[in-house]
PDB file of all heavy atoms in Angstrom:
ATOM      1  N   ARG A 174     -30.155 195.135 199.109  1.00 98.00           N
ATOM      2  CA  ARG A 174     -31.237 195.736 198.225  1.00 98.00           C
ATOM      3  C   ARG A 174     -30.694 196.831 197.291  1.00 98.00           C
ATOM      4  O   ARG A 174     -31.164 197.036 196.184  1.00 98.00           O
ATOM      5  CB  ARG A 174     -32.456 196.230 199.118  1.00 98.00           C
ATOM      6  CG  ARG A 174     -33.178 195.249 199.786  1.00 98.00           C
ATOM      7  CD  ARG A 174     -34.450 195.882 200.358  1.00 98.00           C
ATOM      8  NE  ARG A 174     -35.335 195.000 201.036  1.00 98.00           N
ATOM      9  CZ  ARG A 174     -35.390 194.782 202.337  1.00 98.00           C
ATOM     10  NH1 ARG A 174     -34.544 195.413 203.086  1.00 98.00           N
ATOM     11  NH2 ARG A 174     -36.154 193.874 202.923  1.00 98.00           N
ATOM     12  N   ASP A 175     -29.721 197.614 197.889  1.00 97.00           N
ATOM     13  CA  ASP A 175     -29.221 198.745 197.143  1.00 97.00           C
ATOM     14  C   ASP A 175     -28.244 198.427 196.128  1.00 97.00           C
ATOM     15  O   ASP A 175     -27.672 199.278 195.360  1.00 97.00           O
ATOM     16  CB  ASP A 175     -28.675 199.785 198.157  1.00 97.00           C
ATOM     17  CG  ASP A 175     -29.658 200.391 199.092  1.00 97.00           C
ATOM     18  OD1 ASP A 175     -30.867 200.345 198.715  1.00 97.00           O
ATOM     19  OD2 ASP A 175     -29.226 200.950 200.119  1.00 97.00           O
ATOM     20  N   SER A 176     -27.807 197.169 195.971  1.00 97.00           N
ATOM     21  CA  SER A 176     -26.655 196.689 195.195  1.00 97.00           C
ATOM     22  C   SER A 176     -26.948 196.823 193.732  1.00 97.00           C
ATOM     23  O   SER A 176     -26.028 196.875 192.830  1.00 97.00           O
ATOM     24  CB  SER A 176     -26.340 195.215 195.510  1.00 97.00           C
ATOM     25  OG  SER A 176     -27.351 194.342 195.144  1.00 97.00           O
ATOM     26  N   GLY A 177     -28.213 196.814 193.304  1.00 95.00           N
ATOM     27  CA  GLY A 177     -28.565 196.794 191.884  1.00 95.00           C
ATOM     28  C   GLY A 177     -28.679 195.336 191.269  1.00 95.00           C
ATOM     29  O   GLY A 177     -29.084 195.237 190.097  1.00 95.00           O
ATOM     30  N   THR A 178     -28.515 194.334 192.012  1.00 97.00           N
ATOM     31  CA  THR A 178     -28.692 192.986 191.620  1.00 97.00           C
ATOM     32  C   THR A 178     -30.056 192.539 192.052  1.00 97.00           C
ATOM     33  O   THR A 178     -30.753 193.157 192.898  1.00 97.00           O
ATOM     34  CB  THR A 178     -27.666 191.922 192.216  1.00 97.00           C
ATOM     35  OG1 THR A 178     -27.937 191.870 193.652  1.00 97.00           O
ATOM     36  CG2 THR A 178     -26.228 192.550 192.018  1.00 97.00           C
ATOM     37  N   GLU A 179     -30.502 191.320 191.487  1.00 98.00           N
ATOM     38  CA  GLU A 179     -31.638 190.668 192.125  1.00 98.00           C
ATOM     39  C   GLU A 179     -31.153 190.220 193.501  1.00 98.00           C
ATOM     40  O   GLU A 179     -30.135 189.924 193.707  1.00 98.00           O
ATOM     41  CB  GLU A 179     -31.964 189.378 191.306  1.00 98.00           C
ATOM     42  CG  GLU A 179     -32.628 189.664 189.925  1.00 98.00           C
ATOM     43  CD  GLU A 179     -33.078 188.453 189.188  1.00 98.00           C
ATOM     44  OE1 GLU A 179     -32.920 187.340 189.813  1.00 98.00           O
ATOM     45  OE2 GLU A 179     -33.620 188.511 188.162  1.00 98.00           O
ATOM     46  N   TRP A 180     -32.138 190.169 194.472  1.00 98.00           N
ATOM     47  CA  TRP A 180     -31.814 189.810 195.764  1.00 98.00           C
ATOM     48  C   TRP A 180     -32.909 189.114 196.472  1.00 98.00           C
ATOM     49  O   TRP A 180     -34.091 189.163 196.089  1.00 98.00           O
ATOM     50  CB  TRP A 180     -31.476 191.101 196.572  1.00 98.00           C
ATOM     51  CG  TRP A 180     -32.604 192.127 196.696  1.00 98.00           C
ATOM     52  CD1 TRP A 180     -32.816 193.205 195.833  1.00 98.00           C
ATOM     53  CD2 TRP A 180     -33.778 192.018 197.649  1.00 98.00           C
ATOM     54  NE1 TRP A 180     -34.007 193.794 196.211  1.00 98.00           N
ATOM     55  CE2 TRP A 180     -34.599 193.136 197.279  1.00 98.00           C
ATOM     56  CE3 TRP A 180     -34.065 191.169 198.598  1.00 98.00           C
ATOM     57  CZ2 TRP A 180     -35.814 193.411 197.991  1.00 98.00           C
ATOM     58  CZ3 TRP A 180     -35.333 191.444 199.278  1.00 98.00           C
ATOM     59  CH2 TRP A 180     -36.123 192.492 198.945  1.00 98.00           C
ATOM     60  N   THR A 181     -32.498 188.257 197.422  1.00 98.00           N
ATOM     61  CA  THR A 181     -33.506 187.550 198.265  1.00 98.00           C
ATOM     62  C   THR A 181     -32.772 187.558 199.724  1.00 98.00           C
ATOM     63  O   THR A 181     -31.578 187.493 199.866  1.00 98.00           O
ATOM     64  CB  THR A 181     -33.648 186.049 197.832  1.00 98.00           C
ATOM     65  OG1 THR A 181     -34.023 186.030 196.505  1.00 98.00           O
ATOM     66  CG2 THR A 181     -34.721 185.393 198.783  1.00 98.00           C
ATOM     67  N   VAL A 182     -33.713 187.803 200.677  1.00 98.00           N
ATOM     68  CA  VAL A 182     -33.218 187.732 202.085  1.00 98.00           C
ATOM     69  C   VAL A 182     -33.835 186.579 202.804  1.00 98.00           C
ATOM     70  O   VAL A 182     -35.033 186.256 202.681  1.00 98.00           O
ATOM     71  CB  VAL A 182     -33.643 189.021 202.852  1.00 98.00           C
ATOM     72  CG1 VAL A 182     -33.357 188.899 204.348  1.00 98.00           C
ATOM     73  CG2 VAL A 182     -32.848 190.254 202.231  1.00 98.00           C
ATOM     74  N   VAL A 183     -32.980 185.730 203.473  1.00 98.00           N
ATOM     75  CA  VAL A 183     -33.402 184.649 204.350  1.00 98.00           C
ATOM     76  C   VAL A 183     -33.151 185.123 205.741  1.00 98.00           C
ATOM     77  O   VAL A 183     -32.040 185.138 206.202  1.00 98.00           O
ATOM     78  CB  VAL A 183     -32.662 183.371 203.998  1.00 98.00           C
ATOM     79  CG1 VAL A 183     -33.176 182.293 204.830  1.00 98.00           C
ATOM     80  CG2 VAL A 183     -32.795 182.999 202.444  1.00 98.00           C
ATOM     81  N   ARG A 184     -34.264 185.595 206.453  1.00 98.00           N
ATOM     82  CA  ARG A 184     -34.143 186.115 207.728  1.00 98.00           C
ATOM     83  C   ARG A 184     -34.515 185.086 208.749  1.00 98.00           C
ATOM     84  O   ARG A 184     -35.620 184.636 208.921  1.00 98.00           O
ATOM     85  CB  ARG A 184     -35.152 187.257 207.832  1.00 98.00           C
ATOM     86  CG  ARG A 184     -35.030 188.092 209.128  1.00 98.00           C
ATOM     87  CD  ARG A 184     -36.073 189.217 209.183  1.00 98.00           C
ATOM     88  NE  ARG A 184     -35.986 190.265 208.266  1.00 98.00           N
ATOM     89  CZ  ARG A 184     -36.932 191.000 207.721  1.00 98.00           C
ATOM     90  NH1 ARG A 184     -38.128 190.910 208.147  1.00 98.00           N
ATOM     91  NH2 ARG A 184     -36.584 192.029 206.856  1.00 98.00           N
ATOM     92  N   SER A 185     -33.467 184.710 209.538  1.00 98.00           N
ATOM     93  CA  SER A 185     -33.574 183.432 210.292  1.00 98.00           C
ATOM     94  C   SER A 185     -33.766 183.648 211.854  1.00 98.00           C
ATOM     95  O   SER A 185     -33.252 184.620 212.372  1.00 98.00           O
ATOM     96  CB  SER A 185     -32.243 182.681 210.203  1.00 98.00           C
ATOM     97  OG  SER A 185     -32.208 181.539 210.946  1.00 98.00           O
ATOM     98  N   SER A 186     -34.457 182.709 212.431  1.00 97.00           N
ATOM     99  CA  SER A 186     -34.588 182.656 213.899  1.00 97.00           C
ATOM    100  C   SER A 186     -33.353 181.885 214.310  1.00 97.00           C
ATOM    101  O   SER A 186     -32.407 181.567 213.623  1.00 97.00           O
ATOM    102  CB  SER A 186     -35.880 181.920 214.261  1.00 97.00           C
ATOM    103  OG  SER A 186     -35.955 180.707 213.784  1.00 97.00           O
ATOM    104  N   PHE A 187     -33.269 181.555 215.687  1.00 97.00           N
ATOM    105  CA  PHE A 187     -32.114 180.875 216.315  1.00 97.00           C
ATOM    106  C   PHE A 187     -31.874 179.534 215.812  1.00 97.00           C
ATOM    107  O   PHE A 187     -32.921 178.696 215.714  1.00 97.00           O
ATOM    108  CB  PHE A 187     -32.385 180.864 217.857  1.00 97.00           C
ATOM    109  CG  PHE A 187     -31.200 180.587 218.733  1.00 97.00           C
ATOM    110  CD1 PHE A 187     -30.399 181.643 219.133  1.00 97.00           C
ATOM    111  CD2 PHE A 187     -30.825 179.282 218.957  1.00 97.00           C
ATOM    112  CE1 PHE A 187     -29.221 181.360 219.945  1.00 97.00           C
ATOM    113  CE2 PHE A 187     -29.746 179.031 219.793  1.00 97.00           C
ATOM    114  CZ  PHE A 187     -28.914 180.083 220.263  1.00 97.00           C
ATOM    115  N   PHE A 188     -30.758 179.207 215.421  1.00 98.00           N
ATOM    116  CA  PHE A 188     -30.397 177.858 214.807  1.00 98.00           C
ATOM    117  C   PHE A 188     -30.555 176.747 215.898  1.00 98.00           C
ATOM    118  O   PHE A 188     -30.009 176.844 216.933  1.00 98.00           O
ATOM    119  CB  PHE A 188     -29.010 177.832 214.341  1.00 98.00           C
ATOM    120  CG  PHE A 188     -28.585 178.800 213.190  1.00 98.00           C
ATOM    121  CD1 PHE A 188     -27.253 178.870 212.736  1.00 98.00           C
ATOM    122  CD2 PHE A 188     -29.517 179.562 212.531  1.00 98.00           C
ATOM    123  CE1 PHE A 188     -26.904 179.581 211.689  1.00 98.00           C
ATOM    124  CE2 PHE A 188     -29.197 180.325 211.523  1.00 98.00           C
ATOM    125  CZ  PHE A 188     -27.894 180.439 211.046  1.00 98.00           C
ATOM    126  N   ALA A 189     -31.290 175.758 215.519  1.00 98.00           N
ATOM    127  CA  ALA A 189     -31.293 174.559 216.297  1.00 98.00           C
ATOM    128  C   ALA A 189     -29.940 173.959 216.387  1.00 98.00           C
ATOM    129  O   ALA A 189     -29.443 173.491 217.445  1.00 98.00           O
ATOM    130  CB  ALA A 189     -32.195 173.510 215.719  1.00 98.00           C
ATOM    131  N   GLN A 190     -29.093 173.994 215.345  1.00 98.00           N
ATOM    132  CA  GLN A 190     -27.794 173.381 215.342  1.00 98.00           C
ATOM    133  C   GLN A 190     -26.812 174.067 216.226  1.00 98.00           C
ATOM    134  O   GLN A 190     -25.626 173.598 216.414  1.00 98.00           O
ATOM    135  CB  GLN A 190     -27.234 173.345 213.861  1.00 98.00           C
ATOM    136  CG  GLN A 190     -27.693 172.136 213.028  1.00 98.00           C
ATOM    137  CD  GLN A 190     -29.125 172.192 212.622  1.00 98.00           C
ATOM    138  OE1 GLN A 190     -29.834 173.233 212.816  1.00 98.00           O
ATOM    139  NE2 GLN A 190     -29.620 171.165 212.048  1.00 98.00           N
ATOM    140  N   ASN A 191     -27.129 175.234 216.835  1.00 97.00           N
ATOM    141  CA  ASN A 191     -26.322 175.788 217.840  1.00 97.00           C
ATOM    142  C   ASN A 191     -26.074 174.865 219.060  1.00 97.00           C
ATOM    143  O   ASN A 191     -25.084 174.952 219.737  1.00 97.00           O
ATOM    144  CB  ASN A 191     -26.783 177.203 218.323  1.00 97.00           C
ATOM    145  CG  ASN A 191     -26.533 178.318 217.303  1.00 97.00           C
ATOM    146  OD1 ASN A 191     -25.645 178.244 216.539  1.00 97.00           O
ATOM    147  ND2 ASN A 191     -27.439 179.233 217.338  1.00 97.00           N
ATOM    148  N   PHE A 192     -27.064 173.976 219.212  1.00 98.00           N
ATOM    149  CA  PHE A 192     -26.892 172.982 220.266  1.00 98.00           C
ATOM    150  C   PHE A 192     -25.942 171.839 219.926  1.00 98.00           C
ATOM    151  O   PHE A 192     -25.531 171.093 220.732  1.00 98.00           O
ATOM    152  CB  PHE A 192     -28.310 172.393 220.638  1.00 98.00           C
ATOM    153  CG  PHE A 192     -29.181 173.278 221.298  1.00 98.00           C
ATOM    154  CD1 PHE A 192     -30.209 173.958 220.689  1.00 98.00           C
ATOM    155  CD2 PHE A 192     -29.057 173.515 222.721  1.00 98.00           C
ATOM    156  CE1 PHE A 192     -31.086 174.826 221.358  1.00 98.00           C
ATOM    157  CE2 PHE A 192     -29.931 174.304 223.375  1.00 98.00           C
ATOM    158  CZ  PHE A 192     -30.899 174.998 222.637  1.00 98.00           C
ATOM    159  N   SER A 193     -25.675 171.728 218.589  1.00 98.00           N
ATOM    160  CA  SER A 193     -24.836 170.546 218.227  1.00 98.00           C
ATOM    161  C   SER A 193     -23.645 170.810 217.446  1.00 98.00           C
ATOM    162  O   SER A 193     -22.742 170.028 217.354  1.00 98.00           O
ATOM    163  CB  SER A 193     -25.748 169.525 217.388  1.00 98.00           C
ATOM    164  OG  SER A 193     -26.328 170.147 216.300  1.00 98.00           O
ATOM    165  N   GLU A 194     -23.576 172.044 216.876  1.00 97.00           N
ATOM    166  CA  GLU A 194     -22.396 172.450 216.065  1.00 97.00           C
ATOM    167  C   GLU A 194     -21.797 173.823 216.469  1.00 97.00           C
ATOM    168  O   GLU A 194     -21.057 174.391 215.686  1.00 97.00           O
ATOM    169  CB  GLU A 194     -22.911 172.473 214.518  1.00 97.00           C
ATOM    170  CG  GLU A 194     -23.451 171.217 213.997  1.00 97.00           C
ATOM    171  CD  GLU A 194     -23.951 171.397 212.575  1.00 97.00           C
ATOM    172  OE1 GLU A 194     -23.508 172.210 211.791  1.00 97.00           O
ATOM    173  OE2 GLU A 194     -24.843 170.510 212.165  1.00 97.00           O
ATOM    174  N   ASP A 195     -22.119 174.227 217.603  1.00 94.00           N
ATOM    175  CA  ASP A 195     -21.626 175.505 218.076  1.00 94.00           C
ATOM    176  C   ASP A 195     -21.498 175.642 219.608  1.00 94.00           C
ATOM    177  O   ASP A 195     -21.310 174.522 220.170  1.00 94.00           O
ATOM    178  CB  ASP A 195     -22.570 176.617 217.551  1.00 94.00           C
ATOM    179  CG  ASP A 195     -21.795 177.920 217.210  1.00 94.00           C
ATOM    180  OD1 ASP A 195     -20.888 178.311 217.964  1.00 94.00           O
ATOM    181  OD2 ASP A 195     -22.127 178.644 216.216  1.00 94.00           O
ATOM    182  N   PHE A 196     -21.682 176.787 220.147  1.00 94.00           N
ATOM    183  CA  PHE A 196     -21.142 177.037 221.502  1.00 94.00           C
ATOM    184  C   PHE A 196     -21.987 176.247 222.530  1.00 94.00           C
ATOM    185  O   PHE A 196     -21.563 176.172 223.774  1.00 94.00           O
ATOM    186  CB  PHE A 196     -21.272 178.553 221.809  1.00 94.00           C
ATOM    187  CG  PHE A 196     -22.592 179.198 221.690  1.00 94.00           C
ATOM    188  CD1 PHE A 196     -23.267 179.432 222.930  1.00 94.00           C
ATOM    189  CD2 PHE A 196     -23.173 179.434 220.515  1.00 94.00           C
ATOM    190  CE1 PHE A 196     -24.528 180.043 222.877  1.00 94.00           C
ATOM    191  CE2 PHE A 196     -24.428 180.030 220.463  1.00 94.00           C
ATOM    192  CZ  PHE A 196     -25.129 180.265 221.635  1.00 94.00           C
ATOM    193  N   LEU A 197     -23.149 175.685 222.258  1.00 96.00           N
ATOM    194  CA  LEU A 197     -23.899 174.994 223.323  1.00 96.00           C
ATOM    195  C   LEU A 197     -23.705 173.488 223.393  1.00 96.00           C
ATOM    196  O   LEU A 197     -24.253 172.797 224.163  1.00 96.00           O
ATOM    197  CB  LEU A 197     -25.425 175.306 223.007  1.00 96.00           C
ATOM    198  CG  LEU A 197     -25.876 176.728 223.105  1.00 96.00           C
ATOM    199  CD1 LEU A 197     -27.327 176.915 222.762  1.00 96.00           C
ATOM    200  CD2 LEU A 197     -25.627 177.316 224.620  1.00 96.00           C
ATOM    201  N   VAL A 198     -22.872 172.956 222.373  1.00 97.00           N
ATOM    202  CA  VAL A 198     -22.772 171.490 222.341  1.00 97.00           C
ATOM    203  C   VAL A 198     -22.085 170.946 223.523  1.00 97.00           C
ATOM    204  O   VAL A 198     -22.441 169.878 223.964  1.00 97.00           O
ATOM    205  CB  VAL A 198     -22.044 171.166 221.075  1.00 97.00           C
ATOM    206  CG1 VAL A 198     -20.603 171.712 220.972  1.00 97.00           C
ATOM    207  CG2 VAL A 198     -22.016 169.634 220.863  1.00 97.00           C
ATOM    208  N   ASP A 199     -21.019 171.627 224.024  1.00 96.00           N
ATOM    209  CA  ASP A 199     -20.406 171.103 225.153  1.00 96.00           C
ATOM    210  C   ASP A 199     -21.295 170.915 226.415  1.00 96.00           C
ATOM    211  O   ASP A 199     -21.153 170.026 227.198  1.00 96.00           O
ATOM    212  CB  ASP A 199     -19.131 171.873 225.582  1.00 96.00           C
ATOM    213  CG  ASP A 199     -18.081 171.752 224.537  1.00 96.00           C
ATOM    214  OD1 ASP A 199     -17.984 170.705 223.865  1.00 96.00           O
ATOM    215  OD2 ASP A 199     -17.204 172.666 224.437  1.00 96.00           O
ATOM    216  N   GLY A 200     -22.118 171.866 226.556  1.00 97.00           N
ATOM    217  CA  GLY A 200     -23.084 171.868 227.699  1.00 97.00           C
ATOM    218  C   GLY A 200     -24.040 170.596 227.562  1.00 97.00           C
ATOM    219  O   GLY A 200     -24.306 169.923 228.566  1.00 97.00           O
ATOM    220  N   VAL A 201     -24.484 170.281 226.317  1.00 98.00           N
ATOM    221  CA  VAL A 201     -25.252 169.124 226.200  1.00 98.00           C
ATOM    222  C   VAL A 201     -24.581 167.923 226.545  1.00 98.00           C
ATOM    223  O   VAL A 201     -25.035 166.976 227.231  1.00 98.00           O
ATOM    224  CB  VAL A 201     -25.835 169.041 224.724  1.00 98.00           C
ATOM    225  CG1 VAL A 201     -26.574 167.761 224.580  1.00 98.00           C
ATOM    226  CG2 VAL A 201     -26.625 170.269 224.329  1.00 98.00           C
ATOM    227  N   ARG A 202     -23.292 167.835 226.196  1.00 97.00           N
ATOM    228  CA  ARG A 202     -22.436 166.657 226.482  1.00 97.00           C
ATOM    229  C   ARG A 202     -22.192 166.470 227.929  1.00 97.00           C
ATOM    230  O   ARG A 202     -22.267 165.330 228.450  1.00 97.00           O
ATOM    231  CB  ARG A 202     -21.085 166.702 225.739  1.00 97.00           C
ATOM    232  CG  ARG A 202     -21.192 166.580 224.149  1.00 97.00           C
ATOM    233  CD  ARG A 202     -19.903 167.029 223.545  1.00 97.00           C
ATOM    234  NE  ARG A 202     -19.969 166.759 222.084  1.00 97.00           N
ATOM    235  CZ  ARG A 202     -19.092 167.447 221.356  1.00 97.00           C
ATOM    236  NH1 ARG A 202     -18.091 168.141 221.691  1.00 97.00           N
ATOM    237  NH2 ARG A 202     -19.201 167.254 219.963  1.00 97.00           N
ATOM    238  N   THR A 203     -22.031 167.525 228.727  1.00 97.00           N
ATOM    239  CA  THR A 203     -21.638 167.358 230.074  1.00 97.00           C
ATOM    240  C   THR A 203     -22.920 167.320 230.906  1.00 97.00           C
ATOM    241  O   THR A 203     -22.886 166.945 232.030  1.00 97.00           O
ATOM    242  CB  THR A 203     -20.867 168.609 230.525  1.00 97.00           C
ATOM    243  OG1 THR A 203     -21.577 169.868 230.338  1.00 97.00           O
ATOM    244  CG2 THR A 203     -19.577 168.735 229.850  1.00 97.00           C
ATOM    245  N   GLY A 204     -24.057 167.738 230.413  1.00 97.00           N
ATOM    246  CA  GLY A 204     -25.341 167.609 231.055  1.00 97.00           C
ATOM    247  C   GLY A 204     -25.889 168.899 231.693  1.00 97.00           C
ATOM    248  O   GLY A 204     -26.869 168.891 232.393  1.00 97.00           O
ATOM    249  N   VAL A 205     -25.219 170.035 231.436  1.00 97.00           N
ATOM    250  CA  VAL A 205     -25.713 171.247 231.956  1.00 97.00           C
ATOM    251  C   VAL A 205     -25.514 172.319 230.756  1.00 97.00           C
ATOM    252  O   VAL A 205     -24.357 172.706 230.535  1.00 97.00           O
ATOM    253  CB  VAL A 205     -25.003 171.754 233.156  1.00 97.00           C
ATOM    254  CG1 VAL A 205     -25.595 173.125 233.715  1.00 97.00           C
ATOM    255  CG2 VAL A 205     -25.157 170.771 234.286  1.00 97.00           C
ATOM    256  N   VAL A 206     -26.550 172.773 230.244  1.00 97.00           N
ATOM    257  CA  VAL A 206     -26.547 173.902 229.245  1.00 97.00           C
ATOM    258  C   VAL A 206     -26.667 175.191 229.934  1.00 97.00           C
ATOM    259  O   VAL A 206     -27.792 175.461 230.455  1.00 97.00           O
ATOM    260  CB  VAL A 206     -27.559 173.706 228.102  1.00 97.00           C
ATOM    261  CG1 VAL A 206     -27.604 174.839 227.150  1.00 97.00           C
ATOM    262  CG2 VAL A 206     -27.287 172.350 227.381  1.00 97.00           C
ATOM    263  N   ALA A 207     -25.648 176.012 229.904  1.00 96.00           N
ATOM    264  CA  ALA A 207     -25.669 177.385 230.562  1.00 96.00           C
ATOM    265  C   ALA A 207     -25.774 178.436 229.575  1.00 96.00           C
ATOM    266  O   ALA A 207     -24.887 178.617 228.762  1.00 96.00           O
ATOM    267  CB  ALA A 207     -24.496 177.522 231.446  1.00 96.00           C
ATOM    268  N   PHE A 208     -26.801 179.269 229.692  1.00 96.00           N
ATOM    269  CA  PHE A 208     -26.985 180.305 228.649  1.00 96.00           C
ATOM    270  C   PHE A 208     -27.846 181.363 229.201  1.00 96.00           C
ATOM    271  O   PHE A 208     -28.567 181.250 230.171  1.00 96.00           O
ATOM    272  CB  PHE A 208     -27.645 179.698 227.345  1.00 96.00           C
ATOM    273  CG  PHE A 208     -27.673 180.615 226.174  1.00 96.00           C
ATOM    274  CD1 PHE A 208     -26.584 181.346 225.800  1.00 96.00           C
ATOM    275  CD2 PHE A 208     -28.869 180.815 225.474  1.00 96.00           C
ATOM    276  CE1 PHE A 208     -26.701 182.210 224.714  1.00 96.00           C
ATOM    277  CE2 PHE A 208     -28.921 181.714 224.410  1.00 96.00           C
ATOM    278  CZ  PHE A 208     -27.803 182.379 224.027  1.00 96.00           C
ATOM    279  N   ALA A 209     -27.610 182.598 228.619  1.00 95.00           N
ATOM    280  CA  ALA A 209     -28.422 183.766 229.084  1.00 95.00           C
ATOM    281  C   ALA A 209     -29.560 184.044 228.108  1.00 95.00           C
ATOM    282  O   ALA A 209     -29.417 184.720 227.063  1.00 95.00           O
ATOM    283  CB  ALA A 209     -27.437 185.067 229.093  1.00 95.00           C
ATOM    284  N   ALA A 210     -30.672 183.463 228.414  1.00 92.00           N
ATOM    285  CA  ALA A 210     -31.943 183.627 227.636  1.00 92.00           C
ATOM    286  C   ALA A 210     -33.115 183.763 228.560  1.00 92.00           C
ATOM    287  O   ALA A 210     -33.216 182.884 229.409  1.00 92.00           O
ATOM    288  CB  ALA A 210     -32.073 182.497 226.595  1.00 92.00           C
TER     289      ALA A 210
END
């Protein structure tokens, strides 16, 4: 916001794709998703 340009913020919740393209994918493949939530 302070940059002096036009700006837009996309403020996101937790990605669904963390289950398929990130750290949770191996758990899905092996059948046990282990996470601290």
Side-chain angles (χ1 to χ4, degrees):
R174 288 190 180 99
D175 293 342
S176 67
T178 68
E179 290 186 358
W180 58 267
T181 305
V182 169
V183 184
R184 187 185 291 162
S185 173
S186 57
F187 196 91
F188 295 175
Q190 275 75 2
N191 285 332
F192 288 101
S193 53
E194 300 177 24
D195 211 318
F196 64 102
L197 297 175
V198 64
D199 288 339
V201 177
R202 290 169 179 161
T203 60
V205 180
V206 174
F208 188 48

